[in-house]
Amino acid sequence: MKGPLFYSKILLFGEYGIIKDSKGLSIPYSFYNGALKKDDTLSETAKTSNESLKRFATHIANLDTAIVRFDSDRLQADVNAGMYFDSSIPQGYGVGSSGALVAAIYDKYAFDKITVLENLTREKLLKLKRIFSEMESFFHGSSSGLDPLNSYLSIPILINSKDNIEATGIPAQQSEGKGAVFLIDSGIIGETAPMVGLFMEKMKQEGFRNMLKTQFIKHTDACVDDFLKGDIKSLFNNTKQLSKIVLNHFKPMIPKQFHELWKRGIDTNDYYLKLCGSGGGGYILGFTEDIHKAKQSLSDYKLEVVYNF
């Protein structure tokens, strides 16, 4: 048995900002994916996943049935029979490993589920987001529900504000384009909960709150608009500002060995780095107007291209 594939995601813009109602843009990333699976013999990885699924199944059984109803008996029986999540999505890398699992469980076990084939009204999207938020809170303590939403629908999601989200189209990739969005592997596993805790602690300072509103959210919103309009010149100006703001105000979320690299990108304009998800490790997201230059500047690292301009 192997279920349908669910993809990883990349939040291009909106990390931390969406907690405070900035815009955001999240795209599916099909390079990594996962599916529910049953085998007669389980590898060590599959056993670990199955154990985690047992705990998750208990969480699912205790969710408010006014929000969502699951066939918990069938889920429990499948988990007891050795079902696991067979996934290539790296955990703790900011690309939505738990989101894909949540999407897979909802797809297979939810009663009255909202499907991708329906007319996805804003109400339906918000309902899905709320369901996924309740489900994914098992992994992170709290969750926006956006990662599973992206994985479940497999289409770009535009976040206008907490209560206003829509499926969107993004400009077609230019396969020959020199401009690119890429990922760098920091080689460190990041954990979401401590990073979000750190952010919430910083939010107690008036200066930080002010910076978030007047600088961080302003440039994040502009980046989303520029990207969707295909205004590349403005996009790179705003991404550079965003990269500077993150280096100055979100330093604890950037792994130490990347501080210098981050600054070098801003100084040379060869590339601009930003957080991929909550930071602290995992992937770092990069934007460049010339991927060949960026590869030369970052020759010690393997760049994974996500999107070409």
Side-chain angles (χ1 to χ4, degrees), residues 11-85:
L11 184 64
L12 285 181
F13 303 104
E15 70 290 350
Y16 290 109
I18 54 176
I19 299 176
K20 292 293 157 199
D21 255 7
S22 80
K23 286 189 175 186
L25 182 64
S26 184
I27 61 169
Y29 183 42
S30 57
F31 186 75
Y32 296 119
N33 53 60
L36 292 168
K37 205 171 175 185
K38 265 193 220 156
D39 283 334
D40 293 336
T41 52
L42 296 186
S43 67
E44 283 310 309
T45 313
K47 278 181 193 161
T48 307
S49 170
N50 176 257
E51 286 303 318
S52 173
L53 268 182
K54 280 179 185 163
R55 295 190 293 276
F56 188 43
T58 307
H59 172 76
I60 294 292
N62 292 325
L63 288 177
D64 184 350
T65 52
I67 300 171
V68 61
R69 286 169 50 251
F70 284 95
D71 190 343
S72 288
D73 293 342
R74 187 162 65 96
L75 171 57
Q76 199 61 61
D78 284 346
V79 169
N80 290 343
M83 183 175 74
Y84 63 100
F85 192 57

Side-chain angles (χ1 to χ4, degrees), residues 81-140:
M83 183 175 74
Y84 63 100
F85 192 57
D86 182 26
S87 169
S88 65
I89 308 170
Q91 293 185 5
Y93 265 66
V95 285
S97 54
S98 59
L101 168 58
V102 165
I105 294 287
Y106 176 81
D107 180 65
K108 191 169 169 62
Y109 298 100
F111 289 122
D112 312 316
K113 69 179 183 187
I114 295 166
T115 71
V116 188
L117 302 172
E118 296 175 37
N119 172 22
L120 290 167
T121 61
R122 199 165 95 191
E123 283 65 38
K124 283 180 185 170
L125 285 172
L126 285 172
K127 186 178 179 189
L128 270 175
K129 182 174 173 286
R130 186 177 175 203
I131 290 167
F132 290 149
S133 164
E134 295 287 329
M135 290 174 73
E136 200 181 32
S137 66
F138 170 79
F139 298 99
H140 298 314

Side-chain angles (χ1 to χ4, degrees), residues 153-211:
L153 299 175
S154 245
I155 43 181
I157 304 285
L158 170 62
I159 303 118
N160 292 303
S161 66
K162 277 198 191 97
D163 303 321
N164 182 355
I165 55 174
E166 56 186 296
T168 189
I170 59 173
Q173 291 206 53
Q174 309 296 321
S175 54
E176 300 302 308
K178 276 166 69 176
V181 181
F182 59 87
L183 296 173
I184 301 179
D185 185 347
S186 71
I188 305 161
I189 290 175
E191 285 192 46
T192 302
M195 292 294 120
V196 173
L198 208 58
F199 173 76
M200 289 310 194
E201 205 48 47
K202 280 175 167 286
M203 283 300 290
K204 291 176 183 171
Q205 304 160 17
E206 193 184 339
F208 186 82
R209 287 199 304 274
N210 199 28
M211 174 282 302

